[in-house]
Amino acid sequence: MPFHPVSMSSWSSRPLPWCRVRRWLTAGGSLSARLQAVCESFTVQRLRQGPSALRAGEAAALNKPGGRVHAREVVLRCDGEPIVYARSLVDARHVRGPWRALRGLGTRPLAQLLFQDRAIARSALEYQRLCPAGAWRRQVARRWLEATGEPLPAGTWWARRSRFRKGGATLLLLEVFSPALERRRTVKRRR
Ligand SMILES: C=C(O[C@@H]1C=C(C(=O)O)C=C[C@H]1O)C(=O)O
């Protein structure tokens, strides 16, 4: 029987209970690579990239009391279907330093920076179920409407968060998973 513990309404690195997108949420390595393996076409729709204000919980997660950050927001599409909203951010100073490659990324997946450099270490994953009336769900709904022209699809939305360290500078990555992902395998079907 599916179980949504209320306690997952804030970030937790505890093992995830069963949920329909659990396999995707807990999969290690590159999400883009996994999606490329199971989708006929995989694209990154870049919504915005540049100076941004910090959102709920981001200052603490970046260990940055305030000030400006450089943020990148995208929607990942599998066979044209929007299925993940992602927001990655670094201290604005670091986009001229360890994370300068962010600026030239365009619509290439962020994974190309994160998983091809052995000097980059990833933290443990944290998970959160987006509360229907929560601030994050409202933020994601605004970006989803901007990206797709559609309201956020109904259903339970889960997010995961992780940090990537490079040269003493942290990149915070938030990935929000559409319930539509439950229909997709996480690995290619064996022929
Ligand atoms: C970090 C990855 O890159 C993906 C691509 C992103 C982008 O291009 O901004 C953001 C989130 C990720 O899901 C990954 O593939 O694991």
Side-chain angles (χ1 to χ4, degrees), residues 29-32 44 72 74 76 86 108-111 114-115 173 175:
S30 165
L31 176 61
S32 305
V44 175
R72 168 184 169 91
V74 301
L76 306 184
R108 288 179 296 129
L110 179 61
L114 300 179
F115 295 100
L173 176 62
E175 294 161 308

Side-chain angles (χ1 to χ4, degrees), residues 24 31 35 45 74-78 81-86 144 157 174-178 181:
W24 285 100
L31 176 61
L35 290 169
Q45 178 184 3
V74 301
V75 163
L76 306 184
R77 289 176 178 261
C78 193
E81 181 183 24
I83 44 164
V84 172
Y85 161 79
W144 197 268
W157 286 69
L174 165 78
E175 294 161 308
V176 181
F177 292 67
S178 162
L181 260 178

